[in-house]
């Protein structure tokens, strides 16, 4: 396999983009990434998206977007794995380039959620759970995560207040990200006073829905000349793993086995351990998911996730900075695009372009994208060369 580098990034702001179509959102991110890479053309386009058929009545995203960005006739198709569709597209592009089948590829994640009423989007998000055993019980995604958070608090003795640093850190970092949906810092009081969505998850524990697209261009390392305008960023780990789709089918519903498996594989490919990671763009769709990802990826022992937040270790100057550009909580969570935003943000950090929330001397960054309630997890590690 060839070594692969990321040479271009592009993203739209996460927002309510009522004036842009799905193809325009994706297209602008792709064109920005290709321009940033200093290229005019790429050989293939891979699209990550979850709900274009139900929310936008549009299938065939490969041809739909490729044509709009001037890539008619190129290889292009869509990858879907719920909220980890973005990282699935990135991994597919990576494998295509690494194998030698494709020379230059762009991966884009796109989602347009705010054209539909909230109740419809909630029902569409729930399709990432088990229809027969979870959805038919009327459970939503927030409710599933609330059950997990309640159980976690019971088992390990944490209170609701202990989760506040996850949200406070994400919102503080989002202030500095021009592409973030929410750019306002919050206090602990605002966290505690926020309206309840599904007890114990309140508005400040939940990521917001939104529209957005993010894209990355990759090429084989051997084909990059010395003239590259941006610092070179190499992909040194990429792995994916699945778990049961239904939470109740897991031996331990408080352990993200797929995060453990995919991060261990990625560490092993990179020859690294968690201590070597300078920043971690994790999947904080809900505060409880941030705690569980930190544990399963080896940054702290089981049941102790909130301690990293309470001790200030998740901030840009801490032991393991997370959600450094706002995370899902403040940057926003346009589901199929999220994995690509995480990777774009890792590249911004490794290029030292993350003004206001830059992790000093960042060299190695990790991104972890979770589909469903932990049923499909993809982990990538990138390094500044
Ligand atoms: N965090 C902070 N503020 C939020 C927010 C969030 N998650 N979601 C909405 N808001 C704000 C809006 O900006 C708006 O503010 P304004 O009145 O100042 O304009 C206000 O709250 C109401 O917004 P609205 O869109 O009516 O919220 P809602 O009640 O319809 O939706 C949630 C709130 C939490 C239910 C919705 O964001 C949600 O379902 N999130 C989870 C999505 C999900 O499950 N994703 C998949 C995870 S794997």
């Amino acid at each position: 396999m060839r070594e692969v580098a990321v040479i271009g990034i592009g993203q739209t702001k996460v927002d309510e983009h009522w004036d842009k179509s799905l193809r325009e959102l994706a297209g602008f991110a792709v064109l920005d990434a290709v321009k940033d890479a200093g290229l005019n053309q790429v050989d293939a386009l891979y699209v990550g998206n979850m709900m274009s058929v139900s929310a936008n009545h549009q299938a065939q995203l490969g041809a739909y977007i490729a044509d709009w960005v001037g890539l008619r006739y190129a290889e292009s198709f869509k990858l879907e794995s719920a909220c980890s569709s973005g990282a699935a597209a990135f991994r597919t592009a990576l494998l295509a380039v690494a194998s030698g089948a494709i020379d230059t590829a762009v991966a884009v994640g796109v989602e347009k959620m705010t054209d539909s009423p909230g109740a419809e989007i909630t029902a569409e998000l729930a399709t990432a759970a088990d229809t027969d055993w979870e959805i038919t019980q009327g459970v939503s995604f927030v409710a599933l995560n609330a059950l997990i958070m309640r159980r976690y608090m019971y088992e390990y003795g944490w209170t609701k207040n202990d989760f506040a640093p996850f949200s406070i850190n994400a919102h503080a970092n989002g202030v500095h990200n021009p592409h973030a949906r929410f750019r306002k810092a919050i206090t602990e009081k605002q966290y505690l006073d926020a309206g309840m969505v599904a007890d114990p998850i309140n508005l400040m524990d939940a990521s917001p829905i939104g529209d957005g697209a993010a894209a990355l261009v990759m090429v084989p390392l051997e084909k990059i000349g010395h003239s590259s305008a941006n610092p070179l960023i190499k992909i040194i780990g990429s792995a994916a793993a699945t778990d049961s789709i239904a939470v109740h089918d897991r031996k331990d519903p408080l352990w993200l086995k797929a995060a453990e498996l995919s991060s261990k594989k990625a560490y092993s490919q990179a020859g690294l351990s968690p201590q070597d990671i300078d920043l971690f763009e994790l999947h904080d769709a809900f505060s409880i998911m941030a705690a569980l990802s930190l544990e399963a990826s080896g940054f702290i022992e089981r049941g102790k996730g909130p301690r990293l937040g309470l001790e200030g270790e998740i901030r840009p100057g801490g032991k393991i900075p997370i959600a450094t550009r706002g995370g899902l909580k403040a940057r926003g969570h346009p589901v199929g695009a999220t994995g690509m935003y995480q990777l774009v943000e890792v590249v911004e950090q490794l290029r030292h372009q993350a003004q206001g929330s830059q992790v000093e001397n960042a060299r190695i960054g990790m991104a972890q994208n979770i589909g469903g309630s932990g049923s499909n997890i993809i982990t990538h590690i990138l390094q500044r060369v």
Side-chain angles (χ1 to χ4, degrees):
M1 295 285 233
R2 306 189 288 189
E3 288 193 295
V4 178
V6 172
I7 60 164
I9 54 173
Q11 60 189 314
T12 68
K13 180 175 161 61
V14 178
D15 215 331
E16 298 191 13
H17 286 289
W18 292 348
D19 59 339
K20 288 188 192 67
S21 67
L22 191 67
R23 78 179 112 202
E24 287 173 317
L25 268 183
F28 287 132
V30 168
L31 293 174
D32 280 353
V34 172
K35 187 172 167 211
D36 184 49
L39 301 174
N40 296 318
Q41 190 77 10
V42 291
D43 298 332
L45 166 74
Y46 302 98
V47 185
N49 169 271
M50 176 180 172
M51 53 177 68
S52 72
V53 173
S54 52
N56 316 109
H57 309 289
Q58 182 66 62
Q60 279 266 46
L61 292 198
Y64 171 77
I65 296 164
D67 194 25
W68 199 81
V69 298
L71 290 176
R72 188 181 293 184
Y73 309 122
E75 168 173 323
S76 186
F77 45 82
K78 159 175 161 172
L79 288 302
E80 187 277 314
S81 63
C83 302
S84 62
S85 301
F90 183 83
R91 183 164 155 76
T92 304
L94 166 65
L95 293 175
V97 175
S99 71
I102 295 288
D103 258 349
T104 49
V106 61
V108 62
V110 62
E111 205 76 67
K112 194 156 182 357
M113 306 169 84
T114 69
D115 292 350
S116 313
E120 276 179 25
I121 289 296
T122 298
E124 279 157 23
L125 286 168
T127 62
D130 188 317
T131 301
D132 295 338
W133 296 104
E134 291 178 322
I135 302 179
T136 49
Q137 308 302 320
V139 78
S140 70
F141 244 84
V142 189
L144 271 176
N145 281 271
L147 289 169
I148 296 172
M149 184 167 169
R150 171 69 65 206
R151 185 75 201 174
Y152 184 91
M153 289 161 69
Y154 170 81
E155 288 289 341
Y156 300 119
W158 296 106
T159 65
K160 169 124 187 76
N161 307 23
D162 297 325
F163 291 83
F166 291 119
S167 189
I168 293 170
N169 170 64
H171 279 276
N173 292 337
V175 170
H176 306 289
N177 181 0
H179 300 103
R181 173 121 201 233
F182 295 131
R183 300 191 66 197
K184 266 195 190 153
I186 62 157
T187 61
E188 185 172 10
K189 179 165 170 22
Q190 282 170 306
Y191 170 81
L192 292 172
D193 290 349
M196 195 54 76
V197 183
D199 198 0
I201 290 182
N202 71 18
L203 195 62
M204 292 302 152
D205 288 303
S207 56
I209 64 163
D211 310 331
L216 294 97
V217 172
M218 57 192 92
V219 296
L221 198 60
E222 68 206 24
K223 298 225 167 155
I224 301 176
H226 292 292
S227 56
S228 176
N230 290 309
L232 205 51
I233 311 295
K234 197 164 79 159
I235 304 158
I236 56 173
S238 171
T242 55
D243 200 341
S244 70
I245 190 162
V247 174
H248 65 260
D249 274 340
R250 295 183 198 151
K251 272 195 191 128
D252 181 355
L254 299 182
W255 186 251
L256 295 176
K257 186 72 184 168
E260 179 197 346
L261 293 172
S262 68
S263 61
K264 273 189 178 156
K265 269 192 213 163
Y267 291 138
S268 152
Q269 290 163 3
L272 299 173
S273 65
Q275 291 71 35
D276 301 309
I277 305 296
D278 294 324
L279 68 126
F280 181 25
E281 289 305 331
L282 48 60
H283 195 95
D284 56 331
F286 302 97
S287 316
I288 181 64
M289 278 296 134
L292 296 183
S293 300
L294 284 164
E295 292 170 19
S297 305
F299 293 101
I300 191 153
E301 311 93 275
R302 178 187 291 256
K304 304 247 165 73
R307 204 167 80 193
L308 283 169
L310 293 167
E311 291 175 357
E313 300 293 8
I314 59 172
R315 296 199 291 248
K319 209 170 3 174
I320 183 62
I322 62 170
T324 68
R325 306 292 281 149
L328 281 62
K329 178 68 200 73
R331 176 242 298 126
H333 184 25
V335 286
T338 288
M340 298 296 287
Y341 276 101
Q342 293 176 310
L343 287 153
V344 163
E345 290 157 1
V346 167
V347 172
E348 286 178 330
Q349 284 285 358
L350 301 185
R351 286 181 176 180
H352 301 167
Q353 292 171 348
Q355 296 98 329
S357 58
Q358 179 64 49
V359 174
E360 213 176 318
N361 297 323
R363 275 194 62 249
I364 295 168
M366 182 157 115
Q368 187 173 79
N369 197 192
I370 302 185
S373 305
S375 51
N376 205 331
I377 305 189
I378 308 177
T379 306
H380 284 101
I381 303 177
L382 278 63
Q383 179 186 33
R384 179 184 171 122
V385 182

